[in-house]
């Protein structure tokens, strides 16, 4: 519950799940405007008590998101402090995290995946133009607001979620391989707009591998060695896509393509190339 200019009350309903440092609940936001009640369903992200030392970073993520507005960025209403609890109040996104959605569905069309990739690139471009580093781009932080249905000619619609607590504050950099740019393993770690591009490359990989987790079950030493020996994720058979991912995941931050180039390349990907590729593979299966 919180008090703001328009008298805003937030109520907690059911628990929806858990993040790395958070528990999420469905809630209802009530604003009173001109004597009238307006109710909106919201998502309440509660910082775990054992991570409450990170409240400042949690506030930072929230304030970053609430100061910017873009159709593919999650709407964050603000942070509410309720007793010892820090709660981020944000838009409730219907289909939740993209990685889980892709795993659950199993067969999302390539054109849908391409639409999602383009929308994420637009969000990235927006942040880039504003000189804002997100710092935690991955498929679990891409939320799906609308499903795409090629037979009805409707496109999916995504929203990039808040980054949570800055990775550089946490002891989780190795865990976050292959999403973190390798420059974050340096001492001191360097987080820049270029790092988001690396993460975007890893996210593209996840999208086109149906939400599969890259380097799943690898231990931290193996992950460290992966970067130490300049390896790349298993390339897609769709060469043009594989090239894009490799360019984004360039070990030299400055060599990664600009957002403009990324968007242009995505627009140049032709879904039928992928379908032809897979049709020709079919007899061997
Ligand atoms: P990280 O701290 O790295 O972001 P996380 O993404 O697992 O980790 P949360 O962001 O707290 O943690 O999200 C937990 C889960 O809640 C997500 O996986 C997603 O399924 C769901 N979720 C998060 N935000 C929303 C939202 N705005 N609308 C609907 N579901 C959400
Ligand atoms: Mg998240």
């Amino acid at each position: 519950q919180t008090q703001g200019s328009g008298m805003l009350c937030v109520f907690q309903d059911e628990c929806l799940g858990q993040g790395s440092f958070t528990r999420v609940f469905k809630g209802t936001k009530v604003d009173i405007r001109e004597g009238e009640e307006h109710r909106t369903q919201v998502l309440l992200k509660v910082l775990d008590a054992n991570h409450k030392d990170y409240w400042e970073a949690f506030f930072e993520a929230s304030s970053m998101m609430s100061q910017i507005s873009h159709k593919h960025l999650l709407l964050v209403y603000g942070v509410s402090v309720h007793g010892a609890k820090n709660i981020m109040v944000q838009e409730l996104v219907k289909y939740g995290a993209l990685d889980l959605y892709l795993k659950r569905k199993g067969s999302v069309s390539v054109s849908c995946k391409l639409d999602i990739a383009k929308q994420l690139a637009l969000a990235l471009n927006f942040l880039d133009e504003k000189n804002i580093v997100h710092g935690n781009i991955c498929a679990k932080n891409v939320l799906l607001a609308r499903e795409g249905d090629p037979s009805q000619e409707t496109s999916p619609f995504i929203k990039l979620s808040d980054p949570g607590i800055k990775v550089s504050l946490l002891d989780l950099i190795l865990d976050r391989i292959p999403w973190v740019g390798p420059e974050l393993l340096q001492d001191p770690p360097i987080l820049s707009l270029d790092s988001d591009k690396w993460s975007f490359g890893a996210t593209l990989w996840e999208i086109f591998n149906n939400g599969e987790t890259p380097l799943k079950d690898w231990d931290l030493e193996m992950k460290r060695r992966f970067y130490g020996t300049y390896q790349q994720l298993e390339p897609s058979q769709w060469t043009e896509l594989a090239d894009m991912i490799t360019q984004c995941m360039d070990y030299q931050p400055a060599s990664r393509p600009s957002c403009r180039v990324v968007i242009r390349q995505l627009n140049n990907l032709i879904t039928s190339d992928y379908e032809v590729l897979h049709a020709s593979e079919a007899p061997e299966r």
Side-chain angles (χ1 to χ4, degrees):
Q1 188 171 345
T2 171
Q3 302 240 326
S5 46
M7 169 79 178
L8 161 78
C9 307
V10 175
F11 302 102
Q12 182 175 310
D13 308 336
E14 58 187 298
C15 182
L16 287 180
Q18 197 152 359
S20 333
F21 318 99
T22 43
R23 269 185 316 146
V24 294
F25 298 86
K26 205 186 251 183
T28 311
K29 176 167 85 70
V30 184
D31 305 91
I32 300 174
R33 274 178 265 131
E34 293 159 6
E36 259 186 66
E37 256 189 35
H38 297 267
R39 288 177 173 260
T40 322
Q41 283 222 308
V42 289
L43 183 111
L44 306 175
K45 204 178 264 197
V46 184
L47 185 63
D48 290 341
N50 54 346
H51 286 105
K52 72 175 186 324
D53 293 349
Y54 293 117
W55 67 271
E56 245 172 315
F58 190 66
F59 273 42
E60 208 179 295
S62 166
S63 96
M64 184 263 270
M65 294 297 287
S66 53
Q67 280 168 37
I68 49 184
S69 158
H70 185 269
K71 61 181 175 178
H72 293 303
L73 287 181
L74 181 75
L75 194 59
V76 173
Y77 299 108
V79 175
S80 135
V81 183
H82 181 61
K85 276 196 181 139
N86 298 298
I87 307 170
M88 201 188 300
V89 184
Q90 45 178 248
E91 172 185 10
L92 179 69
V93 181
K94 189 166 177 195
Y95 298 97
L98 181 64
D99 61 334
L100 299 177
Y101 177 85
L102 291 172
K103 277 183 193 142
R104 201 164 62 230
K105 281 273 165 173
S107 61
V108 172
S109 74
V110 182
S111 68
C112 269
K113 291 174 185 163
L114 198 51
D115 279 336
I116 290 171
K118 286 177 188 171
Q119 294 173 11
L120 186 59
L122 290 179
L124 194 70
N125 184 51
F126 174 82
L127 292 170
D128 193 86
E129 282 175 351
K130 295 253 182 267
N131 214 2
I132 295 172
V133 178
H134 183 279
N136 196 1
I137 296 174
C138 54
K140 84 174 151 68
N141 279 339
V142 173
L143 303 170
L144 190 64
R146 190 176 72 208
E147 292 181 290
D149 183 351
S151 66
Q152 311 251 321
E153 292 193 13
T154 56
S155 315
F157 199 88
I158 59 118
K159 306 244 175 182
L160 177 61
S161 177
D162 69 277
I165 295 160
K166 254 201 217 101
V167 69
S168 49
L169 289 178
L170 303 162
D171 217 11
L172 281 178
I173 292 186
L174 293 178
D175 268 310
R176 294 228 178 130
I177 291 176
W179 292 276
V180 287
E183 60 278 12
L184 273 125
L185 270 69
Q186 292 172 15
D187 190 18
I190 303 166
L191 179 65
S192 70
L193 292 171
D194 296 326
S195 318
D196 277 346
K197 235 155 272 154
W198 174 288
S199 312
F200 175 78
T203 309
L204 276 185
W205 189 96
E206 292 181 274
I207 295 171
F208 286 93
N209 284 284
N210 297 318
E212 194 185 310
T213 309
L215 312 188
K216 188 166 179 257
D217 301 328
W218 284 39
D219 65 33
L220 297 185
E221 196 38 50
M222 285 161 79
K223 284 190 168 194
R224 188 201 294 278
R225 216 172 311 131
F226 182 85
Y227 278 8
T229 51
Y230 304 102
Q231 293 185 57
Q232 290 286 336
L233 297 176
E234 193 188 320
S236 160
Q237 286 169 322
W238 190 5
T239 332
E240 291 82 359
L241 174 75
D243 283 350
M244 266 200 75
I245 294 177
T246 318
Q247 284 170 35
C248 291
M249 298 177 83
D250 192 309
Y251 279 79
Q252 284 297 328
S255 306
R256 295 173 201 153
S258 68
C259 286
R260 253 167 229 281
V261 169
V262 167
I263 292 171
R264 186 168 358 111
Q265 286 181 337
L266 282 172
N267 286 332
N268 284 341
L269 288 182
I270 302 165
T271 316
S272 56
D273 285 355
Y274 177 89
E275 275 146 12
V276 167
L277 183 75
H278 281 256
S280 67
E281 268 173 11
E284 290 171 25
R285 286 214 182 118

